[in-house]
Amino acid sequence: MTPVEIKARLIDAGRLLVHLGLTQMAEGQVSARVPGETAQFYIPRHGIGLDEIQPDDILIVDLAGQLIAGNGQAPAEAAAIHGAIYRTRPDLGAVVLAHPSCGIAFTGIRDPLRPISQGGAMFLDQLGEAARGDEVAPALGPHKAVLLRHQAVITTGGTIDEAVLRLHLLENALKIQLDAQAAGELQPEFPREQILTVQRNFNEPRQFPVNFDYLVRRARLRH
């Protein structure tokens, strides 16, 4: 993608995250690595909601969260977390940090995420947990997502589409498990081989842009 296309995708991602109810007030951030620059990434400026992002609101910062280009203040804590993730995971192209209700609620219980839904299967052995922002990158390790206890959920991907859809699917999986646990004892899981098959299918790269574009179209139709 070109820089213009990535910025357009960031704008769509922000609006979609708000439409899906995955944010709280003007909090949360979505970022993407600058093409050809391993040590720089795009992130919206501090002080605006994710559904308010315009091209001029998108900054370029370095892996320490320091402003390289653009007008406005970088979101200090979020930019530091995103930068630490990009520094330790050169394979990643995008990161989302948000504050969805079920994700935050789930960090208040002791149970792990179980593969009792397709989203749950997607994150089998792919979900870390951290107590502080500076623990997020180590807790992520090779995984796809991290729960920041009582605060946030961070998801990652090779593309913006992947990072956003992983957050959507993870929040849905956490809600399903919270609802199921509230209703009674959970049923036994499927055999691990079947769960891993679902996980591979859900992580098929071609699925992400198709579903991202569909959700963006649906969100536009409702406005």
Side-chain angles (χ1 to χ4, degrees), residues 3-205:
V4 171
E5 290 170 331
I6 290 176
K7 287 185 178 182
R9 211 63 169 175
L10 282 173
I11 291 169
D12 280 341
R15 292 173 180 169
L16 184 56
L17 289 166
V18 172
H19 173 74
L20 294 172
L22 298 171
T23 63
Q24 293 183 18
M25 298 183 289
E27 297 182 345
Q29 288 291 348
V30 55
S31 70
R33 205 184 289 269
V34 174
E37 297 287 348
T38 59
Q40 297 178 7
F41 60 96
Y42 295 112
I43 193 166
R45 66 178 176 87
H46 173 71
I48 58 172
L50 288 174
D51 55 343
E52 298 179 310
I53 304 169
Q54 298 298 321
D56 290 344
D57 296 318
I58 299 173
L59 313 176
I60 297 177
V61 302
D62 64 18
L63 299 185
Q66 298 302 306
L67 182 66
I68 299 295
N71 298 313
Q73 178 184 348
E77 184 178 6
I81 291 173
H82 288 232
I85 290 172
Y86 288 124
R87 186 166 52 249
T88 59
R89 289 285 301 276
D91 59 305
L92 295 177
V95 176
V96 175
L97 185 155
H99 308 274
S101 297
C102 291
I104 294 172
F106 197 85
T107 69
I109 66 174
R110 294 184 179 275
D111 296 331
L113 176 62
R114 289 179 52 186
I116 61 170
S117 65
Q118 291 179 323
M122 185 180 190
F123 288 95
L124 177 68
D125 302 330
Q126 292 293 327
L127 185 61
E129 185 172 339
R132 303 191 313 268
D134 59 359
E135 296 178 354
V136 168
L140 176 65
H143 303 322
K144 299 287 192 294
V146 175
L147 301 179
L148 180 54
R149 197 172 306 154
H150 310 312
Q151 297 182 59
V153 178
I154 298 95
T155 55
T156 66
T159 65
I160 296 167
D161 304 0
E162 291 179 19
V164 170
L165 285 173
R166 284 190 175 123
L167 179 62
H168 178 44
L169 291 166
L170 178 56
E171 174 73 354
N172 188 54
L174 296 173
K175 183 180 188 306
I176 288 172
Q177 183 164 329
L178 288 170
D179 289 346
Q181 287 178 317
E185 184 178 356
L186 297 181
Q187 295 294 318
E189 299 164 5
F190 286 107
R192 185 177 177 85
E193 302 78 39
Q194 294 183 28
I195 296 168
L196 291 176
T197 297
V198 172
Q199 186 179 84
R200 284 192 296 270
N201 291 340
F202 262 65
N203 281 299
E204 174 63 41

